[in-house]
Amino acid sequence: MAEGLRERKKRETRQRISDTATGLFLERGFVPVTIADVAEAADVSVNTVYNYFPAKEDLFFDRSAGVADRLARWVRGRDAGESAARAVLRELREEVEAVSPRVGLMEGYDRFMRVIHEAPPLRSRLWSLQQEIHDNLEAALREETGAAAGDPLPGLMAGQICWVHQTVFVTIGREMVAGRKPVEVSREVLVLLDDIEDLLSEKVLNYAVRGAQ
């Protein structure tokens, strides 16, 4: 369906607030910037900001929309004959090889990471996001394998696969903060992914293989 005028204006307002807040956070840090500062700079009321973003942390992580269910989506979309872990490894390799901003391989990502490191509320929200990624992946694995509610295996496998994902993101973040070039980091992380795969057991690598459709 075509987007109506009301929906378009709401989307544009939300995007303007998000872009304005991101600029302020990168310039001044997360803690010093208030919701009132964002509202004034975006030319909206404080209530309007809260209508779109219930918490200040939501403003900062707005660009991370879709991250929480990313691994679950990759697993549900895996190819026939492909396991859950191999699907995630494949998707990560494709993103890293493409030097994708979606995995932090872009100029300016170091500023984004520094803001997080300097703000305890953002570090706390990031931890919560990581837990949400794990929980969503566990639910997907449980559904895909038909595991019983009390079976611990989907949770254990989700932990292993999330370790892969988190290791890649932590490495990229660290190297970008150190001033490295995205292309250089991309090449090194591709090697890292090979090392990570070598460390995974056959049980992990062959868990939840999708049958032929």
Side-chain angles (χ1 to χ4, degrees):
M1 293 179 63
E3 184 180 40
L5 178 61
R6 179 181 174 82
E7 288 73 23
R8 178 172 61 81
K9 286 187 174 181
K10 289 175 66 175
R11 175 177 56 79
E12 290 174 347
T13 298
R14 188 185 195 283
Q15 191 63 55
R16 185 172 76 255
I17 295 170
S18 175
D19 291 345
T20 300
T22 298
L24 290 174
F25 293 146
L26 293 177
E27 177 186 349
R28 294 159 48 185
F30 180 76
V31 174
V33 175
T34 66
I35 293 294
D37 293 333
V38 174
E40 182 180 3
D43 195 25
V44 297
S45 69
V46 168
N47 284 340
T48 297
V49 176
Y50 278 120
N51 285 340
Y52 289 100
F53 302 96
K56 193 165 74 162
E57 291 84 353
D58 297 324
L59 278 164
F60 186 84
F61 284 112
D62 183 47
R63 295 175 185 272
S64 299
V67 171
D69 64 347
R70 174 186 287 167
L71 298 189
R73 289 199 316 271
W74 286 351
V75 166
R76 287 193 170 100
R78 69 196 184 283
D79 298 330
E82 189 174 46
S83 71
R86 292 191 191 280
V88 170
L89 285 164
R90 173 178 54 78
E91 293 278 4
L92 283 172
R93 281 194 178 98
E94 289 175 0
E95 295 278 10
V96 172
E97 191 170 14
V99 195
S100 171
R102 288 188 294 269
V103 290
L105 290 169
M106 62 180 180
E107 299 292 343
Y109 190 66
D110 58 320
R111 296 168 61 201
F112 181 83
M113 292 304 299
R114 285 192 182 94
V115 173
I116 294 176
H117 289 315
E118 293 169 0
L122 293 180
R123 295 200 300 272
S124 177
R125 173 61 69 88
L126 189 59
W127 183 89
S128 296
L129 177 61
Q130 291 165 350
Q131 187 62 45
E132 191 175 355
I133 291 171
H134 175 279
D135 292 346
N136 288 339
L137 177 58
E138 179 181 352
L141 291 173
R142 198 170 293 281
E143 178 184 322
E144 291 288 307
T145 61
D151 187 349
L153 194 54
L156 295 173
M157 290 296 179
Q160 292 286 298
I161 295 171
C162 284
W163 166 74
V164 175
H165 182 254
Q166 186 174 354
T167 299
V168 167
F169 271 82
V170 167
T171 300
I172 290 173
R174 182 184 66 239
E175 295 305 313
M176 296 304 294
V177 167
R180 303 287 306 285
K181 296 294 184 183
V183 173
E184 295 174 352
V185 177
S186 168
R187 290 195 296 264
E188 293 179 7
V189 173
L190 286 173
V191 175
L192 175 66
L193 278 164
D194 290 340
D195 293 339
I196 287 172
E197 185 168 1
D198 288 342
L199 288 172
L200 295 175
S201 71
E202 289 300 311
K203 187 170 186 178
V204 174
L205 288 171
N206 293 314
Y207 179 75
V209 174
R210 166 155 286 168
Q213 300 297 312

